[in-house]
Amino acid sequence: MNTIIGYVGGHKLNEKPGIHKFTFDKETNKFTSLELIAEFEHPDYFSFNKGEDELVSIITKDNKAGLISFSIDNDYELTKIKSVIDKEGKACYVSQSEDMYFSANYGDGTVNIYKKTEKGFHPIYQIYVAEDAKCHQAFMWKQYLVVVSLGADMVQFYDPTNEFGLVETILFPEGS
């Protein structure tokens, strides 16, 4: 195959906010197409499931944040499956592990945790890290939920089997 097909998000400052599909020609080292395939605001970050047949993105609407998922067909087109918009603020990162989804929220210092069922995404827990924590990443590593907080210069480890209780905090020098 001489082409790579991928996706990129576009902010609301762009003319067409949403997820765009691109094609890159490896022989000419040029992008040959870019098309909007899912229009919505703030697809700042998205992730794929293990089978790479589903894309989940953060979504923000009217100062509320949530998740939106799409199936990916054989032509790399997206079809909306489910969405939920339920929390104040703006998410900046999403990751997934099995049927759990983790949304890091930069502005309010929280991580939202969702469970996915046939009926959609259901918020099951919210971790409040700290005011101005600027949480910008939340992901599973081994048996822990790892939360990286830019504003607090720390990485924290939470235990999902114990109501997401805090297990460990690693502090870094201020500004790092």
Side-chain angles (χ1 to χ4, degrees):
M1 179 182 273
N2 291 325
T3 59
I4 297 172
I5 296 175
Y7 305 96
V8 64
H11 282 279
K12 73 177 186 175
L13 299 176
N14 297 349
E15 284 185 34
K16 296 180 179 178
I19 295 178
H20 297 74
K21 180 175 80 170
F22 66 83
T23 304
F24 180 77
D25 186 319
K26 294 191 295 187
E27 288 182 7
T28 64
N29 285 329
K30 293 186 179 185
F31 290 95
T32 58
S33 70
L34 179 67
E35 65 178 297
L36 178 67
I37 59 173
E39 188 171 358
F40 63 97
E41 290 188 25
H42 295 291
D44 298 339
Y45 200 90
F46 50 84
S47 69
F48 299 92
N49 65 350
K50 285 184 181 178
E52 296 188 5
D53 58 357
E54 182 181 30
L55 178 150
V56 175
S57 176
I58 56 174
I59 184 172
T60 304
K61 186 174 184 179
D62 300 327
N63 292 322
K64 290 193 172 197
L67 301 178
I68 186 169
S69 66
F70 299 89
S71 64
I72 305 171
D73 67 20
N74 291 336
D75 293 323
Y76 302 96
E77 299 297 324
L78 301 181
T79 302
K80 180 181 170 185
I81 303 172
K82 301 171 175 69
S83 67
V84 62
I85 299 174
D86 68 326
K87 302 289 183 187
E88 293 292 324
K90 183 178 179 305
C92 68
Y93 184 87
V94 64
S95 67
Q96 52 190 291
S97 177
E98 305 300 324
D99 62 348
M100 303 284 283
Y101 294 77
F102 310 98
S103 169
N105 302 297
Y106 189 84
D108 64 3
T110 62
V111 173
N112 295 324
I113 302 158
Y114 301 87
K115 185 167 182 74
K116 184 178 165 193
T117 67
E118 292 294 320
K119 294 184 179 182
F121 296 103
H122 301 284
I124 61 168
Y125 207 82
Q126 183 178 62
I127 297 171
Y128 175 74
V129 175
E131 186 175 344
D132 295 325
K134 296 184 171 112
C135 301
H136 70 281
Q137 201 173 30
F139 59 92
M140 287 300 295
W141 177 72
K142 298 188 179 184
Q143 73 267 27
Y144 300 110
L145 173 63
V146 179
V147 177
V148 182
S149 300
L150 182 65
D153 298 309
M154 68 181 174
V155 176
Q156 293 182 306
F157 298 81
Y158 294 87
D159 183 356
T161 64
N162 188 19
E163 298 181 349
F164 293 94
L166 180 62
V167 175
E168 182 73 37
T169 299
I170 301 172
L171 295 172
F172 293 90
E174 186 175 328
S176 60

